[in-house]
Amino acid sequence: MKAAIIANPASGKDIRRIVAHGSVFDNQEKVRMVRRILVGLAAAGVRDVLYMPEGYGIVPRALSDLEALETPVNVAPVDIYLHNTQEDTINAAALMQQEGVAVIIVMGGDGTSRAACKGARKTPILPLSTGTNNVFPVMAEATVAGLAAGVLACGGVTIDEGCREASLLEVHVDGQFRDIALVDVAVYDDLFLGSRAIWDITKVSQIVVSRCRPDSIGLSTVAGQLMSISPEEPRGLALDLDPDFACRVRAAIGPGLFADVGVSRVRQLLPGDDVPVGLTPCVLALDGEREVEVRRGQSASIRLSEDTMRVVDVARVMEYARQRGLFLRGAQVCYAN
C-alpha cells in the first residue's frame, strides 16, 4: 500500500518559451495537482506516500492546504542530497524503488520521466504531463490518476493487468552503455550541451525513435508523419536527414514551431538493432534535450533496447476496477430494460 510522487518544479519552463511558443506550467498548478493525487491515492486505500524533496516544496505546500483526508496518509520525503538537477529525480526514484513502492507518479515532461526511469527501471511509473514536449507523459486528471495508482498499489488490479510495456532506446559510446531515451535520440551537430533543449532542425542529421505518431510534437513527429508506432510495439524507426533532399516532411518540432525536414532514408528497427552514429564529434539529444557528448575519435550507436518500462495505463486500470466493482458501495445497482 505504498506509492510515490516525483514533481519536478523546473518542468514546463525551459528555453522553448523563448525560441518557440511553449506555455509555462505554473508550480502552483502542480501543487493543486498533488492535492488531487493524494486524495485519489487515499480513496483507493494507500496509507504511505514517499515524495521527492525539491526547492519549491510542491508536496509540502499541497499538504499545508489540504483538508483532512477521510483516511490519514503518511506522506514523507526520501532522503537525498539536493543537486537541483535531474540527478535528484534519478536518486529519488532509485530510493523509492528500494523502499518497495508499487508505483511512482511522475509529474514533468519527457526529460523528467526519462530521469525517473533511469533510477527505477523495475518499478511501474505513471507519467503525468507538466512539461514541454510531452510524448511519453499522459494527459490525465490528477484525481483519477491518483486513484488508478492507488488501485495498483493496493492490489485491486495487478501490475500485468494495469500496465503496458513501453520500448526504450539505449545510447552506447565506444561500446559502453551510456544512457537511455524513452522517445527519441537525435544526432546534433554541436560540441557542447549548452541550453540542452534543441530547436534548430538544420543541425540534426539522424533521428531514432521508439514510438511516433502524426498527432504528437517534438522530433519524433518527423517520423510520425511517415509511420505510426505505438509505445508497446517492439519496433522503432531510424531516419537520416538531409536538408537538400527532395522528400520533405512538415512537422511540429516544438510548440508553435514547424519545420520542413528533408528525410533521405528510413529504416525500421527491431529490439537489439543498432544504428551507428554517422557524425563525430557531436551531441546526442535524448528526448529533446542534449545529454551525451561524443568527442572526436569516439564511436557511438543507438539501440532499440530489448528491455522495456512498465507504464501505468489509467484507463485500463479503471476499467478493471469497474468490472470488479471496486468502488461499488451498498446495494447492487438495478438496471432498467
Side-chain angles (χ1 to χ4, degrees):
M1 291 188 180
K2 187 182 293 186
I5 299 172
I6 291 176
N8 180 6
S11 66
K13 298 182 179 69
D14 65 32
I15 196 172
R16 281 165 287 195
R17 276 83 197 150
I18 299 173
V19 301
H21 301 281
S23 300
V24 174
F25 204 103
D26 181 76
N27 280 340
Q28 275 302 313
E29 178 54 28
K30 297 172 189 174
V31 171
R32 290 186 284 268
M33 286 179 66
V34 168
R35 288 195 196 110
R36 301 198 297 274
I37 288 169
L38 290 171
V39 170
L41 288 170
V46 171
R47 299 294 172 260
D48 293 288
V49 177
L50 297 178
Y51 71 89
M52 179 185 77
E54 34 72 30
Y56 188 80
I58 293 173
V59 175
R61 287 172 188 253
L63 288 169
S64 67
D65 293 330
L66 184 63
E67 295 180 0
L69 298 170
E70 291 184 14
T71 306
V73 177
N74 177 38
V75 182
V78 291
D79 185 14
I80 61 170
Y81 178 85
L82 292 182
H83 298 84
N84 295 314
T85 68
Q86 66 171 304
E87 290 299 315
D88 295 345
T89 299
I90 296 170
N91 295 337
L95 277 177
M96 291 166 177
Q97 181 167 278
Q98 290 178 22
E99 290 292 326
V101 302
V103 60
I104 302 174
I105 301 172
V106 181
M107 296 169 53
D110 291 334
T112 310
S113 294
R114 184 179 69 86
C117 290
K118 286 174 65 175
R121 291 283 290 274
K122 298 179 181 179
T123 302
I125 73 167
L126 198 170
L128 290 181
S129 174
T130 64
T132 307
N133 287 2
N134 298 300
V135 179
F136 189 83
V138 299
M139 297 293 293
E141 210 293 314
T143 313
V144 180
L147 190 64
V151 168
L152 277 180
C154 294
V157 174
T158 68
I159 299 299
D160 288 339
E161 292 170 333
C163 294
R164 51 182 170 78
E165 302 284 341
S167 298
L168 305 170
L169 296 168
E170 298 177 356
V171 171
H172 296 257
V173 178
D174 288 340
Q176 300 297 315
F177 172 80
R178 177 68 68 86
D179 215 326
I180 65 167
L182 304 178
V183 179
D184 55 57
V185 178
V187 179
Y188 197 72
D189 187 6
D190 208 337
L191 300 178
F192 307 104
L193 300 182
S195 60
R196 295 193 179 271
I198 64 174
W199 62 89
D200 186 355
I201 194 67
T202 64
K203 290 188 174 184
V204 178
S205 59
Q206 292 173 270
I207 301 174
V208 181
V209 303
S210 63
R211 64 176 71 191
C212 53
R213 299 195 327 243
D215 62 331
S216 188
I217 195 167
L219 296 180
S220 69
T221 199
V222 178
Q225 298 300 336
L226 302 172
M227 182 180 296
S228 290
I229 298 177
S230 65
E232 57 269 23
E233 288 186 74
R235 61 193 183 108
L237 282 182
L239 279 62
D240 290 343
L241 307 188
D242 182 347
D244 298 322
F245 199 73
C247 176
R248 308 187 74 77
V249 174
R250 171 157 287 190
I253 62 171
L257 183 63
F258 281 88
D260 291 331
V261 184
V263 180
S264 59
R265 184 185 179 210
V266 179
R267 171 189 168 194
Q268 293 200 50
L269 304 176
L270 295 176
D273 286 349
D274 281 297
V275 179
V277 172
L279 176 69
T280 55
C282 68
V283 171
L284 301 182
L286 314 181
D287 298 329
E289 297 182 345
R290 286 174 274 189
E291 295 286 351
V292 178
E293 294 178 342
V294 182
R295 296 181 173 84
R296 192 178 305 279
Q298 291 184 314
S299 63
S301 64
I302 305 157
R303 177 180 301 167
L304 183 63
S305 179
E306 296 174 289
D307 292 333
T308 57
M309 271 298 303
R310 282 178 165 174
V311 180
V312 179
D313 187 318
V314 173
R316 187 184 298 177
V317 171
M318 296 309 296
E319 176 58 24
Y320 273 111
R322 180 198 66 78
Q323 292 175 11
R324 292 167 186 172
L326 296 185
F327 299 109
L328 294 181
R329 300 292 184 268
Q332 187 173 358
V333 176
C334 180
Y335 292 94
N337 292 329

